[in-house]
Each structure stands twice: as C-alpha cells, then as structure tokens.
C-alpha cells in the first residue's frame, strides 16, 4: 500500500527534520519501503530552484517531477529546461489540464481516484466523468511506466539483467 503526504514547499524543511528525529528514513528502508518525492513543478525559476533544492537536500529514494500542463511547460526556456532535466532523471508525470467541475470534485477530501475508476461518478456529467477517468488512467499509466523503468535499473545494478 502506498501513502501520500501532500506538503506545501514551506513545510519541506520541518517535515524532513521530523523524519530525521524519528529515524523514519532508515526504519522505512529497513522495512522495505521507499521514499518517493513527487514534486509539482511550475514553469518558473523559483519553482525549479525549490525542486532542485529538495532533490539535492532531502533524503529520498526517487524524485519524480510532476508537470501540470495547466501551468504551462518548463521546457520553453533554456535555463529552466536545464534544471528540469537534472531533476527529472527518474522520469516525469505530465498531468493534462482538467476543467473546473473536475477540479472541484478532485479537491473534495472524500474523493478517490480508485472509486472513480471503479465507476463512481461523483455527480459529474457523463462527459466529465469520462475525461477524469481518462486523466487518472493516463497519470497512473505514467506512474507504472516509471516504476517499471526503475525496477529494470535496479535489476541491472544487481547484475540480473
């Protein structure tokens, strides 16, 4: 089972300080768990610098750049693209833009992509439910692709591939 902790950028330092105090990183690794940072990157130098700081400064097993197409693309300018390529070595997740109705539904604490994919429509129109299911399938497919690539890299490091 995976667990997600959603943090605003201003909380990173405090969060990782607490993890260190609790010896969480070492204990989670001893238990076979990975710390994967999914960082939503906006197409601004400030966002990219923060992402790179997190990438370089905080303990993690994998760092995945998440690009929200609603914000624009980070590859439009050379300096931003250079930083983005540095931090997206493990891969990226590109999220397509969602409409306002879908965003309101997703923002509800009771919302579950699993339930959506299992047929729950959350009061969405048939078209918006279909689009949101497509969004979820696309994002989850990208996550599976990244995990497969990482598993292959790990097997190569062990000399099994």
């Amino acid at each position: 089972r995976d667990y997600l902790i959603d943090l605003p950028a201003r909380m990173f330092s405090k969060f990782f300080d607490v993890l260190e105090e609790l010896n969480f990183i070492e204990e989670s690794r001893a238990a076979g768990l990975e710390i994967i940072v999914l960082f939503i990157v906006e197409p601004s130098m400030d966002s990219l610098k923060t992402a790179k700081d997190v990438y370089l400064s905080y303990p993690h097993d994998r760092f995945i750049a998440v690009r929200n197409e609603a914000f624009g693309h980070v590859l439009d300018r050379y300096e931003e693209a250079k930083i983005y390529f540095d931090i997206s070595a493990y891969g990226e997740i590109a999220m397509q833009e969602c409409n306002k109705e879908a965003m309101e539904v997703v923002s509800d604490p009771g919302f579950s992509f699993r339930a959506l994919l299992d047929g729950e429509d959350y009061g969405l129109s048939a078209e918006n439910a279909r689009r949101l299911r497509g969004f979820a399938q696309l994002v989850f497919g990208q996550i599976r692709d990244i995990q497969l690539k990482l598993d292959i890299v790990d097997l190569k490091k062990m000399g099994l591939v």
Side-chain angles (χ1 to χ4, degrees):
R1 177 144 172 95
D2 298 323
Y3 296 92
L4 176 70
I5 300 169
D6 187 10
L7 297 173
R10 69 181 186 283
M11 297 300 297
F12 289 143
S13 180
K14 179 70 173 164
F15 176 74
F16 283 102
D17 287 347
V18 169
L19 291 184
E20 187 174 316
E21 287 173 26
L22 298 173
N23 200 31
F24 183 84
I25 303 295
E26 291 77 17
E27 292 298 325
S28 64
R29 288 180 178 150
L33 302 175
E34 289 184 308
I35 306 296
I36 301 173
V37 175
L38 300 170
F39 192 101
I40 298 176
V41 180
E42 296 177 13
S44 72
M45 189 57 85
D46 285 344
S47 176
L48 289 161
K49 285 180 179 179
T50 301
K52 189 164 186 177
D53 182 51
V54 170
Y55 176 78
L56 294 173
S57 303
Y58 299 106
H60 60 274
D61 297 299
R62 314 265 191 246
F63 185 98
I64 308 297
V66 179
R67 186 173 45 83
N68 186 335
E69 293 179 355
F71 297 152
H73 203 296
V74 299
L75 300 179
D76 293 337
R77 292 176 301 279
Y78 174 76
E79 287 301 317
E80 286 88 340
K82 185 177 173 196
I83 294 171
Y84 187 76
F85 285 126
D86 288 344
I87 65 171
S88 61
Y90 288 117
E92 73 168 353
I93 296 171
M95 297 186 329
Q96 64 191 21
E97 188 171 353
C98 288
N99 66 28
K100 183 179 178 187
E101 181 186 12
M103 289 305 299
E104 288 173 1
V105 168
V106 170
S107 298
D108 185 300
F111 175 81
S112 162
F113 277 110
R114 170 56 39 212
L116 177 78
L117 293 173
D118 286 343
E120 174 67 45
D121 67 8
Y122 289 98
L124 290 165
S125 67
E127 177 64 16
N128 281 334
R130 183 190 62 76
R131 285 184 180 174
L132 194 53
R133 284 186 185 98
F135 169 88
Q137 290 169 339
L138 178 67
V139 169
F140 291 145
Q142 291 176 76
I143 292 169
R144 281 190 302 273
D145 290 347
I146 290 169
Q147 189 60 49
L148 179 61
K149 289 175 191 172
L150 295 174
D151 289 346
I152 290 171
V153 167
D154 289 343
L155 289 172
K156 285 181 179 179
K157 286 179 183 175
M158 292 186 291
L160 299 174
V161 175

